[in-house]
């Protein structure tokens, strides 16, 4: 039941920021990639580089967010990020130039990070005003990326099918138009006016060495998961899946992402050290490996449900680790360190997977197996992480 003071409604509006920035501007690339690659003659390395550019933009935007937060109100930062995402999507539809397409992916990545971080901060503040419902309310925000994945899965494959081969520009254009209305909703009043945060005091040092297993494991996870989210539609297509099956596969993935904030909240809250991160990485690994060892449409749907339910929850588990182990003034530094590790992994993963695939003569299975190996490594390393012991906050609410 919705909060009577409109808190849930405001958070649902804020959830449109990750729906556009992550669900569409980042992850819809996988849906359009096969047609782009065939039309433009890209190697798998070139195809992967586009998501590397997006990840680089996201990392830059995330690192710039504290600087932006000292100068802009959170609602303004969300809107600036949305405009950057729309510009990136529009540019993707307007050019076939590799450098300009890379710039479009970079711009969309930076915008999505800015909108996600600022929107998440606003959602957390709103949820904090209703502590008895905070978990449910935060879950509404973090279901946003799944909504964007679901919508893009219903739109892009059918546009490509309707217009025929070489219609990747039309697909990007329709996706950009589909994002205009949700982005416009974020220009409506988002609650009481909030000022920029101003200068913060000196934050405590983050124990990077003690957190090394989590950080290294999280980086390996970033490198491993992004290959699935970049190349799996190409795998579905190569296996004979048409537009309807591609849409259904991506739609199931989106629904699973929407369910994940509530599905895994208990293990994230109860498992100490890196065990929650390792367990959820293991579930992600199972979803990634399944189509490599079995065939059939049902296998693909189970894979997307398994993968979608867990990969975003790994982000939440990492944040929960930071909140549980560090004093509150150190949370931004701890989350920033994790963001850097994850971002570097996301940047390396698509190109590395593409390189392995190209070296294997275009056998996509080779690249996907290499990414699965990275996920297995990430789970093993994360399992070695122990609680740091500097701070304990029972029941800390997870969030990216």
């Amino acid at each position: 039941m919705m909060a009577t003071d409109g808190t849930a409604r405001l958070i649902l509006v804020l959830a449109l920021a990750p729906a556009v920035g992550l669900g569409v501007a980042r992850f819809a690339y996988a849906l359009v990639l096969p047609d782009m690659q065939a039309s433009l003659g890209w190697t798998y390395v070139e195809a992967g580089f586009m998501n590397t550019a997006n990840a680089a933009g996201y990392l830059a935007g995330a690192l710039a967010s504290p600087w932006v937060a000292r100068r802009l109100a959170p609602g303004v930062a969300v809107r600036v990020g949305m405009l950057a995402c729309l510009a990136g999507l529009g540019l993707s539809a307007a050019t076939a130039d590799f450098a300009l397409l890379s710039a479009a992916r970079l711009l969309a990545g930076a915008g999505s990070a800015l909108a996600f971080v600022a929107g998440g901060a606003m959602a957390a503040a709103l949820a904090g005003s209703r502590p008895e419902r905070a978990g449910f309310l935060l879950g509404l925000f973090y279901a946003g990326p799944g909504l964007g994945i679901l919508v893009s899965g219903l739109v892009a494959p059918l546009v490509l099918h309707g217009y025929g081969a070489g219609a990747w520009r039309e697909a990007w254009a329709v996706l950009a138009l589909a994002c205009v209305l949700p982005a416009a909703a974020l220009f409506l009043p988002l609650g009481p006016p909030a000022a920029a945060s101003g200068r913060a005091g000196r934050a405590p040092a983050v124990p990077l060495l003690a957190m090394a297993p989590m950080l290294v494991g999280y980086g390996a996870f970033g490198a491993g998961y992004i290959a699935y989210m970049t190349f799996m539609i190409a795998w579905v297509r190569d296996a004979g899946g048409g537009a309807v099956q591609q849409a259904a596969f991506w739609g199931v993935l989106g629904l699973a992402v929407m369910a994940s904030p509530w599905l895994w909240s208990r293990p994230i809250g109860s498992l100490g050290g890196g065990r929650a991160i390792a367990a959820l990485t293991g579930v992600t690994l199972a979803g990634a490996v399944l189509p490599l060892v079995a065939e059939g449409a049902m296998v693909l749907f189970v894979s997307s449900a398994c993968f979608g339910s867990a990969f975003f929850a790994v982000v939440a588990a990492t944040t929960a680790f930071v909140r549980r182990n560090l004093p509150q003034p150190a949370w931004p530094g701890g989350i920033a360190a994790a963001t850097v590790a994850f971002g570097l992994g996301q940047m390396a993963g698509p190109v590395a997977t593409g390189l392995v695939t190209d070296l294997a003569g275009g056998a996509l299975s080779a690249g996907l197996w290499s990414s699965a190996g990275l996920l297995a490594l990430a789970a093993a390393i994360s399992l070695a992480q122990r609680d740091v012991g500097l701070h304990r906050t029972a029941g800390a609410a997870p969030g990216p």
Side-chain angles (χ1 to χ4, degrees):
M1 187 169 64
M2 294 296 179
T4 56
D5 62 358
T7 301
R9 178 185 59 81
L10 289 172
I11 291 178
L12 282 170
V13 173
L14 287 170
L16 295 173
V20 171
L22 297 179
V24 180
R26 175 185 289 185
F27 294 131
Y29 174 67
L31 296 162
V32 189
L33 169 60
D35 193 71
M36 294 182 74
Q37 189 173 10
S39 299
L40 301 174
W42 289 347
T43 64
Y44 278 98
V45 167
E46 289 171 321
F49 179 81
M50 287 292 158
N51 255 4
T52 290
N54 183 261
Y58 187 87
L59 177 59
L63 294 178
S65 291
W67 180 87
V68 173
R70 291 194 293 270
R71 289 158 177 82
L72 297 177
V76 176
V78 169
R79 291 157 186 156
V80 170
M82 283 294 94
L83 291 175
C85 288
L86 291 177
L89 289 168
L91 182 57
S92 296
T95 182
D97 181 79
F98 187 87
L100 288 177
L101 285 170
S102 300
R105 298 295 293 156
L106 184 79
L107 179 61
S112 66
L114 190 60
F116 186 41
V117 172
M122 295 178 71
L126 286 166
S129 69
R130 301 294 298 267
E132 75 283 1
R133 296 167 58 81
F136 169 77
L137 292 170
L138 282 174
L140 294 177
F141 179 79
Y142 295 122
L147 175 62
I149 291 171
L150 174 63
V151 171
S152 61
L154 296 175
V155 170
L158 301 183
V159 171
L160 291 167
H161 178 73
Y163 281 91
W168 57 269
R169 283 184 171 180
E170 287 82 356
W172 279 124
V174 173
L175 286 168
L177 289 172
C179 290
V180 169
L181 188 58
L186 290 160
F187 282 78
L188 298 173
L190 297 175
S197 60
R199 294 185 177 274
R202 185 178 180 86
V206 176
L208 297 177
L209 187 60
M211 293 168 55
M214 184 273 285
L215 295 172
V216 174
Y218 197 33
F221 173 81
Y225 101 91
I226 196 63
Y228 187 100
M229 296 300 293
T230 302
F231 293 115
M232 269 309 294
I233 288 294
W235 178 271
V236 173
R237 184 204 60 179
D238 292 347
V244 172
Q245 185 171 339
Q246 292 173 36
F249 174 87
W250 213 246
V252 169
L253 184 77
L255 289 171
V257 172
M258 292 175 71
S260 67
W262 300 285
L263 184 63
W264 301 109
S265 60
R266 187 176 297 275
I268 287 174
S270 61
L271 295 177
R275 288 182 294 165
I277 300 170
L280 290 166
T281 301
V283 176
T284 306
L285 171 63
V289 167
L290 191 56
L292 301 177
V293 299
E295 298 180 354
M298 187 55 64
V299 169
L300 290 172
F301 292 140
V302 172
S303 167
S304 64
C306 183
F307 190 97
S309 76
F311 85 92
F312 214 79
V314 174
V315 182
T318 303
T319 303
F321 173 87
V322 171
R323 291 168 62 91
R324 187 172 58 245
N325 283 274
L326 302 183
Q328 186 167 350
W331 288 357
I335 292 172
T339 299
V340 170
F342 185 62
L344 292 174
Q346 282 193 124
M347 289 170 60
V351 169
T353 302
L355 179 60
V356 171
T357 301
D358 285 336
L359 292 174
L364 188 52
S365 59
L368 292 175
W369 271 117
S370 68
S371 69
L374 286 169
L375 290 173
L377 180 65
I381 295 174
S382 299
L383 197 59
Q385 178 67 60
R386 298 293 180 261
D387 281 320
V388 174
L390 297 183
H391 188 58
R392 294 288 185 273
T393 52

